[in-house]
Amino acid sequence: MTAKIIIDTDPGQDDAVAILLALAAPDAIEVLGITAVAGNVPLNLTQKNARIICELAGRPDIPVFAGCDRPLAHPLVTAEHVHGKTGLDGIALPDPRMPLQDTHGVDFIIATLRAHSAGTITLCPLGPLTNIATAFRTAPDIVARVKEIVLMGGAYFEVGNITPAAEFNIYVDPEAADIVFKSGVPLTVMPLDVTHKVLTTRSRMTAIRAIGSPVAHAVAAWTDFFERFDMAKYGQEGAPLHDPCVIAYLLAPHLFTGRHINVEIETTSSLTRGMTVADWWGVTDRPKTAVFMGDVDAQGFYDLLTGCLARY
Ligand code: BDR
Ligand code: CA
């Protein structure tokens, strides 16, 4: 069965690879639309980058919407130090010719969930959760209509990447994350514990480069760019491809293992704001709110990614 999804994203090179992976598998995934959110870079760039990626994929027909330009309660924090000034540094790609849709991204999410049968649409957030939380707050009737949310965000064993306690996507908008994690929608979470295992090693990137297409060339150039930051930071070979884990899970869930546990978001402490407090060891009787992934077959992930990218 084809999964109908909305990708909510702040591209970002790893978001770009996730979008390319989803669009490479139309037999398994139907992308109903892409909603951009402020995150890695401001919204004017994330919406533009989403369209650049669709055109690179040969899919200017995918509707792209601009969503929220700032978090619910705090000023926007961006990550140009990782992703570069444009968010897609590493290769110069042409400005998009496909239009940005007039509708606000949040309105698109609401209208799409109302227009389709309940339980048929999966939301795939790859950035801060501002758009999703705003949609849930504005139109509470849509919450029960969501089939599931598969998102990249948070960490337990790896703790933080933007502060010692918090992962970037959750840290940027913890109030939004709190709304989503408390929504009751079935949640599958790809935290840093998983994404830090899918590293762009030399041999994996050689296999992608060997595809020889413009898409493969762009993916290699992007990973070359952002891995310099993670390699210096973590002293390892290659960088994590965070966001593609979300799409890989839809295509091959058997690659991932995790636990169904309680996960809560810290919103008040100035020291640990944005922390995903995950009850991995089951030490409370708080309700189980999310499947929190802990491990991945990393080579299986790269075999899947390389095979899909070779379709372009
Ligand atoms: C997340 O933050 C962003 O920089 C990446 O695109 C990913 O979604 C990783 O913490
Ligand atoms: Ca992202």
Side-chain angles (χ1 to χ4, degrees), residues 10 14-15 40 79 83 126 152 161 167-169 192 242-243:
D10 62 337
D14 63 317
D15 301 71
N40 286 323
H83 301 278
L126 311 176
M152 190 280 134
N161 62 353
E167 179 280 329
F168 179 79
N169 288 342
L192 297 179
H242 304 283
D243 295 335

Side-chain angles (χ1 to χ4, degrees), residues 4-210:
K4 291 184 193 304
I5 72 168
I6 296 173
I7 300 179
D8 186 67
T9 178
D10 62 337
Q13 293 91 348
D14 63 317
D15 301 71
V17 179
I19 293 167
L20 291 170
L21 179 57
L23 295 179
D27 47 323
I29 293 177
E30 183 187 352
V31 180
L32 300 174
I34 298 179
T35 51
V37 68
N40 286 323
V41 286
L43 181 68
N44 65 321
L45 291 172
T46 58
Q47 57 87 353
K48 179 180 167 192
N49 290 346
R51 290 181 292 138
I52 290 174
I53 298 154
C54 288
E55 289 193 353
L56 176 67
R59 295 297 305 277
D61 56 302
I62 300 286
V64 173
F65 304 83
C68 299
D69 66 356
R70 72 196 68 174
L72 297 185
H74 293 275
L76 177 65
V77 175
T78 53
E80 284 88 355
H81 60 292
V82 183
H83 301 278
K85 232 164 81 174
T86 66
L88 281 186
D89 279 21
I91 182 171
L93 291 169
D95 278 351
R97 282 178 304 173
M98 63 184 277
L100 179 67
Q101 301 294 312
D102 292 333
T103 309
H104 192 282
V106 169
D107 293 332
F108 170 74
I109 293 170
I110 294 170
T112 307
L113 281 161
R114 285 179 178 162
H116 287 74
S117 305
T120 58
I121 292 180
T122 298
L123 301 179
C124 298
L126 311 176
L129 289 159
T130 322
N131 286 343
I132 310 294
T134 305
F136 284 3
R137 255 191 353 190
T138 312
D141 60 289
I142 65 169
V143 175
R145 304 182 70 80
V146 180
K147 179 180 180 201
E148 66 173 325
I149 296 176
V150 184
L151 68 87
M152 190 280 134
Y156 180 67
F157 294 97
E158 292 284 299
V159 199
N161 62 353
I162 185 76
T163 73
E167 179 280 329
F168 179 79
N169 288 342
I170 307 295
Y171 177 76
V172 172
D173 200 340
E175 285 74 17
D178 191 43
I179 290 171
V180 170
F181 276 73
K182 286 188 173 136
S183 68
V185 175
L187 270 185
T188 297
V189 179
M190 296 292 164
L192 297 179
D193 309 315
V194 165
T195 69
H196 278 181
K197 290 177 178 146
V198 291
L199 298 176
T200 55
T201 61
R202 288 301 93 207
S203 62
R204 290 167 181 164
M205 291 318 297
T206 301
I208 288 177
R209 257 193 198 89

